[in-house]
Amino acid sequence: MEKFLDAYLERMMPVFERFPEKTGHGIASVFLAYRFGLYPKAVRECAAVLPQVPEGSGSAALKKAIAITGAYAQAFADSQVKPDQPLSFAPEERSFLAVNLPRESVEDPETLELDNALILVYAAAMISSPDDEDALEEHRKFVVIMLEAYKTALGLA
């Protein structure tokens, strides 16, 4: 799944390389705060970076990914398993996702939405925040493990 992740990052490169580094750093902060279980901080980082995401191709999908990440971070901060109103990607946003499977063909579609959100946030951060690349690289295995869960469904097993 390493190669799958590399191919996804390559595919997303033209989408997110146009982002300012400050925005990229904010996106990286979202991922890292969430990853470290700093859920209140992740919620704040999501709120701070959402208005910074520039318009253009992939921006709506990234904004949705940040919103999904923030919603789960808030739920976890409130000791809930998931948000009361889980968000999902719109059909036009799905082309920017790493794991693009029909929602009805997945056992747990809400987990798929969260996994796709985290992978998209990770990709955008890796591409647009060179200063955070080393810190993000340390969490690459986490992303690869998420992708492994969909290996069979993607026909890669």
Side-chain angles (χ1 to χ4, degrees):
M1 294 309 292
E2 290 276 346
K3 288 180 183 177
F4 184 88
L5 178 56
D6 287 338
Y8 177 66
L9 289 168
E10 183 83 19
R11 185 167 57 94
M12 293 296 105
M13 182 75 73
V15 177
F16 300 120
E17 67 186 353
R18 64 186 166 81
F19 283 25
E21 285 185 29
K22 180 182 177 197
T23 303
H25 177 68
I27 297 166
S29 295
V30 166
F31 180 83
L32 293 169
Y34 184 92
R35 179 70 179 106
F36 284 119
L38 304 171
Y39 300 122
K41 179 175 174 36
V43 171
R44 289 191 305 274
E45 295 292 344
C46 288
V49 80
L50 268 173
Q52 296 176 26
V53 174
E55 292 304 315
S57 175
S59 293
L62 179 59
K63 286 181 178 183
K64 183 71 66 66
I66 293 167
I68 290 169
T69 302
Y72 273 89
Q74 185 63 62
F76 294 157
D78 295 341
S79 300
Q80 295 178 287
V81 176
K82 62 183 181 181
D84 292 330
Q85 299 290 322
L87 301 169
S88 60
F89 291 96
E92 63 274 9
E93 297 164 342
R94 295 208 165 275
S95 64
F96 298 97
L97 304 181
V99 182
N100 196 354
L101 299 170
R103 203 166 200 258
E104 58 280 351
S105 72
V106 179
E107 235 178 84
D108 185 356
E110 290 171 357
T111 297
L112 173 62
E113 297 296 289
L114 175 60
D115 289 348
N116 267 321
L118 290 170
I119 295 166
L120 181 56
V121 168
Y122 176 83
M126 279 293 287
I127 293 165
S128 63
S129 184
D131 289 346
D132 293 300
E133 190 172 340
D134 289 341
L136 291 164
E137 191 63 40
E138 291 178 18
H139 298 278
R140 181 181 174 92
K141 188 158 185 78
F142 168 74
V143 176
V144 169
I145 289 169
M146 272 194 291
L147 291 169
E148 288 282 340
Y150 302 100
K151 191 174 187 174
T152 303
L154 289 166
L156 302 171

